[in-house]
Amino acid sequence: MEQQKRYGHFDDQHREYVITDPQTPWPWINYLGNEDFFSLISNTAGGYSFYKDAKFRRITRYRYNNVPMDNGGRYFYIKDGDTVWNPGWKPCKTPLDFYECRHGMSYTRVTGRKNGVEASVLFFVPLKKWAEVQKLTLTNQSNEVKNLKLFSFEEWCLWNAATDMENFQRNFSTGEVEIEGSTIYHKTEYRERRNHYAFYHVNTPIQGFDTDRETFVGLYNEFADPQVVMEGKPRNSHAHGWSPIASHYIEVTLQPGESKNFVFLLGYIENEQDKKFSAPQVINKDKAHALIAELDTTQKVDQAFAELCQYWDALLNIYNVRTGNDKLDRMVNIWNQYQCMVTFNFSRSASFFESGIGRGMGFRDSNQDLVGFVHQIPSRARQRIIDIASTQFPDGGCYHQYQPLTKRGNNDIGGGFNDDPCWLIFGTVAYIKETGDFSILDEMVPFDNQPGSEVTLFEHLKISMDHVINNLGPHMLPLIGRADWNDCLNLNCFSWDPNESFQTTENVSEGTKAESLMIAGLFVVTGKDYVALCQKLGKTQEAERMQKAIDAMIEAVKKHGWDGEWYLRAYDFYGNKIGSNECDEAKIFIESQGWCTMAEIGAQEGMVAKSLDSCKKYLECEHGMVLNNPAFTKYIYEYGEISSYPEGYKENAGIFCHNNPWVIIGECLAGRGNDAWSHYAKILPSYVEEKYQTLHKVEPYVNCQMVAGKDAFKPGEGKNSWLTGTAAWMWYTVSEFILGIKPDYDGIRIDPCLPETATDYTVSRKFRDAEYEITIHPNGAQKGVKAITLDGQKVDGTVIPYSAGKHVVEVTM
Ligand code: BGC
Ligand code: NOJ
């Protein structure tokens, strides 16, 4: 393998990834904000901000998939004599004397140097504030006095990111702004039904401004050479319609060695209906003034930044491992947990591959994301579970997605994805095991958000299980519906019309027989959890009822779901096998291997071991395990979208990182630590970053949804970074199954599964009101705990019983 160019490196001490070349193979981004106000920011400061919902409350504009790439963002133009440059290199692309971007935990710092001037910008969203702070520090590192002209730039989005991109006949007439001192207010549509506005402020007097894009940029200029900046003269333009922007103009004189700070603030405000205006047509700015006053000095901003850093310290101190392997430690302790938080916040809505307008929050996605996050802020996980369950229907089915702003089910996509209900159990059980809070089960939760329809959350779990039982096919296996976890296995779609959606079209569904082995495995895994929960609650009859259904499902899988060397994937509409040696292509799929081995179906009969071996033999390649093998080479009408993708990409034999962990957990349960580890390391970003920065293309500090598989034109190329269930599954796998620290109702279960080369390691784990310092001595074993002591006392079994306070645990394997 040729030595690949490197664009950056990890700085574990600061929990940062340091990018040293702005021309990364793809924009490498970060996320700012933790609860309501969010921003996406690339390594050149491209990106945008929104309040809660990337579709309905987009604050600034961004141009997806544009030429040049990564166009639109928060740009600072520095005019030093005839040279105009930006700290993040773009958009002017003036060669810099020094460039560095540090992506950290909810902040990004971009630094550029040119001709003896350094400009360093710290971007972050303070906790609990609806604003993005941009703290710009300008330093004169030369021996002469510098007279600089500084222009800021943000472009307003007219709130609804979808109509902003298409309804020009209206948009070009609605834009409105107000200017007051050093603050530019964006108030489009405020006169009518909106009670929110945004502002862009700087904490210093300005010598000019612009708010009209055409005036600032020039109709035939670009972000790279805005006419106002090139001329070095603001025009004090006042936008009416067209495209409103916000640009401050500041003249800065710096003595040799002198440094100056500027705090720019991009804020969002909501007013009560009767307090919207302070005078006819004039917005009430009280709340904006108050917000500005909270962040108008360097000191206040530094304080807010320190609080943000403490917040992350606390979050990352809940689970911390020291193995001595930097690559593992940095993923477990920093980046995997960070990605889980981002995924929990954004679901699949806004990344550089998700435009923020396509999808809301997924039912199955959010339940899985929760598992990566529940140990950090359980109260938010609790709320999320209630929100999700509120979009369920009385028969246990549910909306596939909901909008975060309204928390209502999304009618465009509807329901009918038959794996969805099971995930509610997966999420809820994880929550209770982490917190011990059984009271969530008594919460009254509506159906489809209809007031008056409330039943307990436990009832929601019950009907979720029942939804599977009530929808079985001819082999007594679960009917797949529109699709299961694999959104692209559309067995009732039958579409020859390119204008139809694979996800929502069911040209035939009457009399369907299409059944899913993935749901069968999922049902057994979550069913076992459900049964254990019922037993815990003393609901013995319900536990027995469900155990029978599980046993029947296990029998059905053994009888109709085994192909000889691996588990089948599905039966199609006509009852034909999918994922069988009898098929021409796609003889084996990963999902059913993952779920049926996690469910340990047929372990005694050798099915689990054979299935895991088949994964190694047929699915594994240099970059991970592919989804199916061999790839589909042609479109198959009765299979749908899966066969629409070229070979090796996405759901057609891509390495869908999300489901590699399923097989890894299967390996762990089977005690095959060497195999589990080798699968895991292949998709662990820190290992990939070392070898494949150029090939992999996307951010080396997080997992991406998909890496091109062995049948692809370019195996190893990554796509769809950041927002993927991979984050939570990687976390769940490494924290609970490989390192073996698993929360349970009454304590922490310790059951690692390691490569035989593993050496002693220590995990610090905060759990409810306790703190455990757990040291594991593997002694060359892959699996099997021999002895545990808790504070020097021998423990029977593998669960350390919970009790508040600090504890020391020693584990011998
Ligand atoms: C993608 C899936 C995605 C689905 C729903 C498909 O095109 O391949 O990964 O889940 O769309 O948006
Ligand atoms: C991405 C979707 O968000 C997820 O719900 C789905 O399971 C996978 N794609 C696989 O299709």
Side-chain angles (χ1 to χ4, degrees):
M1 169 104 225
E2 93 213 64
Q3 188 61 37
Q4 295 208 351
K5 181 170 161 42
R6 291 183 68 112
Y7 296 86
H9 56 266
F10 288 99
D11 176 348
D12 294 340
Q13 208 201 329
H14 295 101
R15 300 193 184 120
E16 291 171 340
Y17 193 81
V18 188
I19 302 165
T20 48
D21 180 341
Q23 298 185 65
T24 46
W26 185 259
W28 286 357
I29 76 161
N30 195 11
Y31 288 83
L32 314 177
N34 287 289
E35 222 149 337
D36 296 328
F37 189 107
F38 293 108
S39 300
L40 284 74
I41 182 164
S42 73
N43 57 305
T44 61
Y48 59 92
S49 304
F50 62 89
Y51 171 78
K52 280 192 184 169
D53 192 311
K55 178 176 180 180
F56 290 121
R57 283 288 193 289
R58 187 77 65 96
I59 296 170
T60 53
R61 236 179 225 170
Y62 183 73
R63 288 167 180 73
Y64 274 94
N65 194 16
N66 214 273
V67 178
M69 192 55 201
D70 188 16
N71 231 9
R74 49 302 259 169
Y75 293 140
F76 292 104
Y77 295 91
I78 298 165
K79 186 163 161 55
D80 178 6
D82 289 336
T83 309
V84 178
W85 59 283
N86 314 99
W89 182 63
K90 267 183 69 103
C92 291
K93 295 191 283 182
T94 306
L96 298 176
D97 301 334
F98 173 85
Y99 159 90
E100 185 183 83
C101 166
R102 289 179 170 260
H103 284 318
M105 305 289 104
S106 300
Y107 70 87
T108 286
R109 195 190 297 272
V110 176
T111 305
R113 273 181 224 146
K114 185 73 188 170
N115 297 342
V117 175
E118 180 179 280
S120 189
V121 199
L122 172 67
F123 298 92
F124 71 102
V125 173
L127 296 172
K128 309 277 173 206
K129 299 273 193 290
W130 293 355
E132 178 184 303
V133 166
Q134 304 160 357
K135 181 185 153 196
L136 166 68
T137 309
L138 286 176
T139 309
N140 182 357
Q141 300 180 331
S142 77
N143 297 323
E144 42 192 91
V145 178
K146 287 279 184 183
N147 290 305
L148 308 173
K149 295 180 171 184
L150 172 68
F151 298 83
S152 68
F153 176 82
E154 294 266 12
E155 181 175 7
W156 302 114
C157 180
L158 306 191
W159 304 115
N160 180 325
T163 54
D164 185 64
M165 286 195 305
E166 57 188 29
N167 194 5
F168 305 114
Q169 62 80 23
R170 170 176 162 84
N171 297 347
F172 286 170
S173 294
T174 54
E176 287 188 292
V177 297
E178 280 182 37
I179 301 118
E180 181 198 62
S182 300
T183 315
I184 295 160
Y185 291 87
H186 176 227
K187 60 167 186 177
T188 300
E189 290 187 348
Y190 189 79
R191 60 185 290 138
E192 31 128 342
R193 294 158 302 171
R194 294 189 186 277
N195 64 348
H196 42 266
Y197 61 83
F199 66 83
Y200 194 35
H201 166 84
V202 60
N203 69 340
T204 189
I206 56 176
Q207 285 74 53
F209 61 85
D210 274 288
T211 67
D212 175 57
R213 190 182 77 198
E214 196 177 315
T215 310
F216 180 80
V217 178
L219 196 49
Y220 295 100
N221 289 40
E222 300 171 24
F223 288 149
D225 61 350
Q227 63 183 18
V228 157
V229 178
M230 294 300 132
E231 288 165 10
K233 243 173 66 196
R235 305 246 180 114
N236 299 340
S237 58
H238 196 129
H240 294 276
W242 300 110
S243 289
I245 59 151
S247 170
H248 306 97
Y249 169 69
I250 306 168
E251 290 170 358
V252 189
T253 301
L254 290 174
Q255 300 302 320
E258 194 188 2
S259 213
K260 275 187 186 158
N261 286 307
F262 303 88
V263 179
F264 290 84
L265 199 64
L266 177 72
Y268 170 85
I269 300 291
E270 284 184 356
N271 274 336
E272 291 83 48
Q273 183 64 24
D274 57 345
K275 298 204 181 88
K276 281 180 71 168
F277 299 96
S278 60
Q281 307 237 7
V282 180
I283 52 178
N284 177 348
K285 304 185 183 64
D286 290 351
K287 287 191 186 174
H289 293 158
L291 178 53
I292 289 168
E294 290 172 48
L295 292 158
D296 60 352
T297 65
T298 310
Q299 246 179 350
K300 290 180 195 172
V301 163
D302 290 349
Q303 176 60 30
F305 184 59
E307 282 163 19
L308 179 68
C309 295
Q310 282 154 18
Y311 169 84
W312 271 105
D313 279 348
L315 286 181
L316 296 178
N317 273 333
I318 296 168
Y319 190 123
N320 182 280
V321 69
R322 275 96 60 205
T323 65
N325 173 352
D326 288 353
K327 292 197 197 82
L328 177 61
D329 290 2
R330 74 166 61 107
M331 291 319 298
V332 174
N333 296 336
I334 307 172
W335 293 97
N336 192 178
Q337 296 200 56
Y338 182 56
Q339 187 179 4
C340 284
M341 161 79 100
V342 169
T343 320
F344 177 81
N345 279 333
F346 288 83
S347 193
R348 307 296 171 270
S349 66
S351 71
F352 271 28
F353 294 86
E354 299 278 5
S355 63
I357 58 176
R359 294 202 258 176
M361 317 282 279
F363 191 98
R364 75 160 83 92
D365 293 339
S366 291
N367 273 300
Q368 293 170 77
D369 295 347
L370 207 143
V371 171
F373 170 83
V374 64
H375 63 295
Q376 294 186 321
I377 312 183
S379 58
R380 288 189 67 199
R382 191 181 206 273
Q383 186 58 49
R384 181 66 64 83
I385 290 170
I386 308 286
D387 290 348
I388 296 171
S390 305
T391 65
Q392 204 169 17
F393 301 116
D395 73 345
C398 46
Y399 282 104
H400 194 47
Q401 292 166 11
Y402 70 98
Q403 282 308 128
L405 195 68
T406 58
K407 296 189 175 176
R408 293 296 149 109
N410 195 332
N411 273 312
D412 297 344
I413 179 113
F417 294 76
N418 283 352
D419 63 314
D420 271 337
C422 290
W423 295 110
L424 187 62
I425 291 147
F426 184 68
T428 309
V429 164
Y431 168 78
I432 300 175
K433 286 188 171 171
E434 180 66 40
T435 57
D437 170 21
F438 286 91
S439 77
I440 190 173
L441 295 170
D442 302 325
E443 286 289 331
M444 298 301 283
V445 181
F447 293 115
D448 192 8
N449 283 292
Q450 296 306 313
S453 67
E454 292 82 0
V455 297
T456 62
L457 180 66
F458 181 81
E459 193 62 22
H460 280 265
L461 300 191
K462 177 166 177 283
I463 61 167
S464 297
M465 296 300 297
D466 283 341
H467 190 264
V468 177
I469 301 171
N470 295 338
N471 289 281
L472 297 177
H475 301 93
M476 297 311 278
L477 294 166
L479 291 174
I480 196 167
R482 285 195 169 145
D484 59 22
W485 172 87
N486 190 331
D487 278 329
C488 300
L489 202 56
N490 317 115
L491 304 182
N492 301 307
C493 183
F494 292 85
S495 179
W496 283 116
D497 178 354
N499 301 320
E500 285 174 347
S501 149
F502 286 109
Q503 262 75 51
T504 55
T505 307
E506 284 182 77
N507 287 324
V508 284
S509 58
E510 283 304 298
T512 178
K513 299 181 189 152
E515 296 166 287
S516 159
L517 268 301
M518 183 266 157
I519 303 182
L522 175 67
F523 175 80
V524 173
V525 171
T526 52
K528 286 182 188 170
D529 278 337
Y530 178 82
V531 167
L533 180 65
C534 289
Q535 277 158 351
K536 190 88 200 132
L537 299 170
K539 297 182 192 278
T540 332
Q541 273 188 341
E542 176 62 0
E544 279 167 19
R545 180 181 80 94
M546 201 52 66
Q547 189 57 51
K548 279 198 194 118
I550 295 170
D551 293 343
M553 187 69 77
I554 293 175
E555 282 318 304
V557 173
K558 287 193 206 167
K559 195 149 166 224
H560 301 292
W562 182 249
D563 197 54
E565 268 188 278
W566 56 78
Y567 304 96
L568 293 175
R569 175 62 177 87
Y571 283 95
D572 72 11
F573 183 85
Y574 305 103
N576 296 320
K577 293 176 185 170
I578 299 182
S580 159
N581 208 9
E582 295 164 19
C583 302
D584 292 340
E585 298 182 331
K587 290 167 179 283
I588 170 172
F589 283 75
I590 198 169
E591 301 100 320
S592 43
Q593 314 317 316
W595 281 99
C596 293
T597 59
M598 280 197 272
E600 302 183 284
I601 297 175
Q604 310 253 298
E605 294 87 337
M607 292 178 183
V608 166
K610 271 192 199 154
S611 159
L612 294 171
D613 288 342
S614 295
C615 291
K616 284 212 294 186
K617 199 158 154 198
Y618 302 108
L619 300 178
E620 195 180 17
C621 70
E622 191 186 345
H623 305 284
M625 283 175 279
V626 299
L627 191 146
N628 53 291
N629 185 65
F632 293 104
T633 57
K634 47 189 178 301
Y635 177 58
I636 303 179
Y637 175 53
E638 59 266 38
Y639 288 8
E641 185 170 0
I642 189 165
S643 58
S644 72
Y645 284 113
E647 297 90 295
Y649 294 98
K650 290 281 285 175
E651 279 89 342
N652 182 17
I655 296 154
F656 223 91
C657 300
H658 187 141
N659 45 37
N660 277 234
W662 300 344
V663 174
I664 302 173
I665 294 175
E667 292 281 8
C668 287
L669 294 174
R672 304 170 21 150
N674 290 339
D675 292 326
W677 176 261
S678 85
H679 286 311
Y680 175 71
K682 278 194 173 167
I683 58 166
L684 194 63
S686 51
Y687 280 76
V688 179
E689 96 96 39
E690 187 185 53
K691 288 193 251 171
Y692 309 114
Q693 289 213 339
T694 323
L695 171 65
H696 194 64
K697 243 176 127 105
V698 288
E699 295 88 338
Y701 34 92
V702 290
N703 271 109
C704 53
Q705 181 206 53
M706 195 264 320
V707 175
K710 55 185 174 178
D711 306 286
F713 172 69
K714 213 170 182 188
E717 192 175 64
K719 284 190 191 127
N720 303 6
S721 53
W722 276 104
L723 303 185
T724 159
T726 313
W729 278 101
M730 287 295 272
W731 170 251
Y732 186 55
T733 302
V734 71
S735 65
E736 299 197 12
F737 295 91
I738 295 179
L739 298 172
I741 313 293
K742 198 168 176 35
D744 212 327
Y745 296 120
D746 301 316
I748 295 186
R749 184 178 299 280
I750 315 254
D751 191 12
C753 184
L754 305 161
E756 58 197 6
T757 50
T759 49
D760 293 5
Y761 62 93
T762 300
V763 175
S764 313
R765 177 64 154 94
K766 294 205 170 79
F767 180 65
R768 304 178 199 168
D769 291 325
E771 272 183 62
Y772 296 93
E773 190 81 357
I774 307 164
T775 302
I776 317 260
H777 307 279
N779 300 317
Q782 295 185 50
K783 177 105 168 172
V785 167
K786 264 204 203 137
I788 301 183
T789 62
L790 168 65
D791 301 324
Q793 304 289 314
K794 190 174 175 317
V795 172
D796 290 330
T798 51
V799 179
I800 359 174
Y802 166 72
S803 68
K806 289 197 177 188
H807 304 286
V808 177
V809 179
E810 294 282 331
V811 181
T812 315
M813 294 177 62

